[in-house]
Amino acid sequence: MSSTQRALAPEISTWPDDDPRLIGSTCGACGATTFPVQQRCPRCSAADMSQTLLPRRGTLVAWTTQGFPPGAPYKGPTGKDFVPFGVGLVQLGEGADAVVRVEGRLTENDPAKLQFGERLELTMIPFTTDEDGTEVVTFAFQPIDDKEAQA
């Protein structure tokens, strides 16, 4: 991590690790997994939640393009500086290891270039720049190169 970068929400990921992962929670009573971390299980209401690192890879379930700046508490670019961005629902993990669906930015903003079931991987991307010049990064999901996916 450069001293000129910071995470938008440092508590939700292991960034600046080389291979950052999102931090979720798993219920000790029923096994449900959540993102972000929750104190009580949304499935069974137990207060037996423990932090867990979520899989870095998953599959695209649904997507759209955010064509205008979101409402508050959005702190990113607006006006002429706003660039439409892809938003997707990603099923993290595969098969029996599919643990949770996470909504997040996509590195691709053209919905025609995305497809149901496409494999994606977590990455960190620039979001905005603070008043002091510090680059603020956030998590996003990027398509996995076909050659890399088969490795």
Side-chain angles (χ1 to χ4, degrees):
M1 171 175 84
S2 161
S3 60
T4 60
Q5 286 185 318
R6 73 170 182 84
L8 177 65
E11 71 282 2
I12 67 169
S13 78
T14 62
W15 184 84
D17 288 0
D18 288 340
D19 291 318
R21 292 173 66 178
L22 295 176
I23 302 169
S25 52
T26 300
C27 179
C30 76
T33 299
T34 64
F35 176 80
V37 169
Q38 294 187 26
Q39 300 307 310
R40 289 195 156 280
C41 179
R43 182 187 294 160
C44 74
S45 299
D48 187 15
M49 301 296 282
S50 58
Q51 284 192 7
T52 186
L53 296 180
L54 301 177
R56 289 182 43 78
R57 292 183 171 190
T59 54
L60 188 60
V61 176
W63 62 95
T64 191
T65 298
Q66 177 73 36
F68 53 89
Y74 177 76
K75 295 186 185 322
T78 58
K80 64 178 178 45
D81 295 327
F82 178 78
V83 176
F85 56 88
V87 177
L89 185 61
V90 180
Q91 176 73 49
L92 293 181
E94 299 179 76
D97 294 326
V99 293
V100 67
R101 289 182 174 184
V102 172
E103 182 181 321
R105 280 186 176 235
L106 302 174
T107 58
E108 177 58 62
N109 67 359
D110 181 352
K113 293 182 179 177
L114 298 165
Q115 59 185 337
F116 182 79
E118 183 170 2
R119 296 199 42 187
L120 302 173
E121 181 174 55
L122 182 73
T123 189
M124 299 300 279
I125 61 169
F127 176 66
T128 191
T129 303
D130 277 349
E131 307 77 41
D132 65 2
T134 301
E135 183 178 64
V136 179
V137 298
T138 190
F139 77 93
F141 294 98
Q142 65 186 359
I144 297 173
D145 183 314
D146 287 337
K147 295 178 193 101
E148 185 182 325
Q150 294 171 0

